[in-house]
Amino acid sequence: MNISSSHQELATYAFLEFDEIVKYVKKRGFFSEQEQVVVTEVSDGKINHVYRLTGEQKSLILKQAVPYARIVGESMPIPIDRVVLEAKVLQEYDNIIPGSVPKVLHLDEIMAIVVMEDMHPMEMGRTALNNGTESAIFARDIGVFSAKTSFYTSDFYLDPKLKKELNASFANPAMREMTEELSFDCPYNMHDSNFFEEGLKNDVLFLSQDHRLQLEVAKLKRKFMTKADALIHSDLHSGAIFMGQDKTVVFDTEFACFGPFGFDMGHFIASLLLNGIGHPEFQTKRYEQARETWYAYTDTFAQLWREESNEPYTQLEGFLTHVMDGKFADMLGYAGCELVRRSIGIAQIDDLNYEEDEQKRMTRRKKVLELGKYLILNRNTIRSLEELESWFIDSSHKEEF
């Protein structure tokens, strides 16, 4: 990775417009001076500006942070150095599983710019799921990716001193705070940023009055804030992966930090379950893919535990079962929080909102919300994903058309 020499050229941050972006990448040798370079913004508009730069022989991705969340505006400031952490996490993941993330080609800390490999023509995961064009391998790939990246950055593998140093270097306080606010706070207090149909107002109001639910959310929030099991992506959903027929790639690691084992799997499995509810024609397939993701994760982690663990206590009979049971409960709880957040929170996605019929859209949003609450409240008594089958296969839960 090249650390930019722009430390000498620019003393302060400046946001680049399209013509300035072209000059920037040409000056750093990514394209020739004579080459025609087309700049296309490909970001979703929530946090950063992301551009595809297409030249005559190749294309690249350039990402520049702004000092606030775009979806809210300057009232939600966040440090621009998040791209530095993002680049370092991508490198860490690439060291663990080569080719599992885009290659980082250039990092400019002053300008908050990272240039990376363009994964085109791979399809973004959320787009593929919404269109029903997903690959046959993505579910297993994500389970394996999450198992390996979490195991190899955990106390079961790393030297304790190195683990603590990594934890400190990936503290990421501002992005963690945003996760805490958007995942555990705003959906449960009638926050102004929440988004839902008028017909769901009472359901959303009830979230702020349900003491039992809020107590369980508080427990999950505290665990996220205090437990540093492994380096987690922290925003691993279908919109943070690219799918190809023979490869799956993970990206968008700016929220990464050390956190609970079950957090990433909870987020990703929630994105599959939500998509299944948003697209009733895919609901059974998405449930099966959620199972495939989880079992790929557990099988891979257990194998690494048995073959590569450096922690003596992993040899104790029953310890692996204890750890995996805790992971499963946490996964369900964080999946529940993600379902609630995505159903009514500020970070809306097309999986639910593409439907123009308000009644159908509201019915699906309510089902996502109810499933989220169910997982949060029952995470310690649900023993397998098979217990959720009726939410996706039983005809009594299917949407009537």
Side-chain angles (χ1 to χ4, degrees), residues 170-184:
F170 292 127
N172 208 5
M175 303 308 281
R176 288 185 69 111
E177 184 179 2
M178 183 181 293
T179 298
E180 292 155 13
E181 180 179 349
L182 298 182
S183 294
F184 305 112

Side-chain angles (χ1 to χ4, degrees), residues 203 207 340 343-344 365-373:
D203 298 87
L207 294 177
V340 171
S343 63
I344 65 165
R365 196 184 307 281
K366 183 172 182 176
K367 183 174 177 179
V368 172
L369 183 61
E370 291 301 317
L371 177 58
K373 289 160 53 180

